[in-house]
Amino acid sequence: MVQFIIEEIQSQSHIGLLCLIGVFFYVGLITIGGGQVAITVMHQTLVENFQLLSDEKFFNMVAISESTPGPIGINIATYIGTELYGVFGGLVTTFGEVLPSLICIILIAKYFGKFSEKKGVQAAFSTLRPAVSGVIAVAAAKIIILALVKGIEKASLTDIASWSSVYIQAPSAVFYLLCLLVLFKTKLHPVFIVLLGGVFGVFFC
């Protein structure tokens, strides 16, 4: 199914709505661990495999989705569907994203109580936790690098010359460290940090 969708997208200049629904159904199906894990899964699927978004645009959407109500996966699905096909496109791609979760939740609600005490199920959950943590760490690292290092998205490991325009954005790096300090040392609500980030980006980036 995945290979079929990739070939279908690559053969068209404009991705079909049915293929787009399939993409988000696939994303929703393999995203295990919540919204933060979805960032890594969606980046690999939407940017690297299907090339629906650039790195910069994707992580801009992550920033918007994290600072607005709703799960990140649903927000991005709605955004892309609406951008390509209007409101109707946003509705159907959102449905494609949430459908796997809806099916899984119904099945879990019906049967999980019968199996939750079994050793195999408990062992699976104990190993899922560190795996999910690793996936979240990858997403965090990508966001930090793209936010603080200018030109990194155009650099290539095979082209040393392309790294000549790569540099750390000092204002962003200082602001990032100050935000960490405030979060760890004070009780200021994170929403105010997000708002400050938006103001900082407008005036200093």
Side-chain angles (χ1 to χ4, degrees), residues 38-119:
I39 296 174
T40 299
V41 174
M42 295 185 81
H43 181 269
Q44 291 178 342
T45 306
L46 301 175
V47 179
E48 296 177 7
N49 292 343
F50 301 123
Q51 299 177 353
L52 295 179
L53 299 168
S54 65
D55 266 330
E56 185 175 1
K57 191 169 187 179
F58 175 79
F59 285 114
N60 284 342
M61 271 306 304
V62 170
I64 294 171
S65 299
E66 290 285 21
S67 57
T68 53
I72 183 172
I74 295 175
N75 288 349
I76 294 180
T78 305
Y79 170 80
I80 294 178
T82 302
E83 185 176 77
L84 295 180
Y85 289 98
V87 174
F88 177 74
L91 291 174
V92 295
T93 53
T94 301
F95 178 73
E97 170 74 17
V98 303
L99 184 58
S101 300
L102 182 63
I103 294 171
C104 289
I105 288 297
I106 291 173
L107 294 175
I108 288 172
K110 187 172 180 60
Y111 299 110
F112 185 69
K114 300 178 182 178
F115 303 102
S116 59
E117 300 302 322
K118 292 186 178 295
K119 291 184 177 180

Side-chain angles (χ1 to χ4, degrees), residues 6-199:
I6 294 175
E7 292 175 354
E8 184 71 14
I9 290 172
Q10 292 175 342
S11 67
Q12 300 179 24
S13 59
H14 191 65
I15 179 174
L17 184 57
L18 185 61
C19 288
L20 197 61
I21 296 170
V23 168
F24 283 103
F25 182 88
Y26 167 73
V27 170
L29 184 64
I30 67 170
T31 299
I32 300 173
Q36 302 306 316
V37 175
I39 296 174
T40 299
V41 174
M42 295 185 81
H43 181 269
Q44 291 178 342
T45 306
L46 301 175
V47 179
E48 296 177 7
N49 292 343
F50 301 123
Q51 299 177 353
L52 295 179
L53 299 168
S54 65
D55 266 330
E56 185 175 1
K57 191 169 187 179
F58 175 79
F59 285 114
N60 284 342
M61 271 306 304
V62 170
I64 294 171
S65 299
E66 290 285 21
S67 57
T68 53
I72 183 172
I74 295 175
N75 288 349
I76 294 180
T78 305
Y79 170 80
I80 294 178
T82 302
E83 185 176 77
L84 295 180
Y85 289 98
V87 174
F88 177 74
L91 291 174
V92 295
T93 53
T94 301
F95 178 73
E97 170 74 17
V98 303
L99 184 58
S101 300
L102 182 63
I103 294 171
C104 289
I105 288 297
I106 291 173
L107 294 175
I108 288 172
K110 187 172 180 60
Y111 299 110
F112 185 69
K114 300 178 182 178
F115 303 102
S116 59
E117 300 302 322
K118 292 186 178 295
K119 291 184 177 180
V121 174
Q122 293 179 351
F125 277 104
S126 67
T127 52
L128 274 174
R129 284 189 287 270
V132 167
S133 300
V135 176
I136 292 173
V138 170
K142 287 183 177 180
I143 293 173
I144 291 171
I145 291 171
L146 193 64
L148 302 184
V149 183
K150 189 71 173 178
I152 190 68
E153 68 277 2
K154 298 179 181 179
S156 172
L157 292 176
T158 58
D159 183 10
I160 303 299
S162 65
W163 287 83
S164 60
S165 59
V166 176
Y167 62 92
I168 295 177
Q169 300 183 91
S172 297
V174 171
F175 181 75
Y176 171 74
L177 293 175
L178 288 174
C179 288
L180 286 181
L181 184 64
V182 171
L183 284 172
F184 282 113
K185 295 295 184 179
T186 72
K187 295 182 179 180
L188 185 66
H189 197 283
V191 70
F192 295 111
I193 301 295
V194 173
L195 292 175
L196 286 173
V199 173

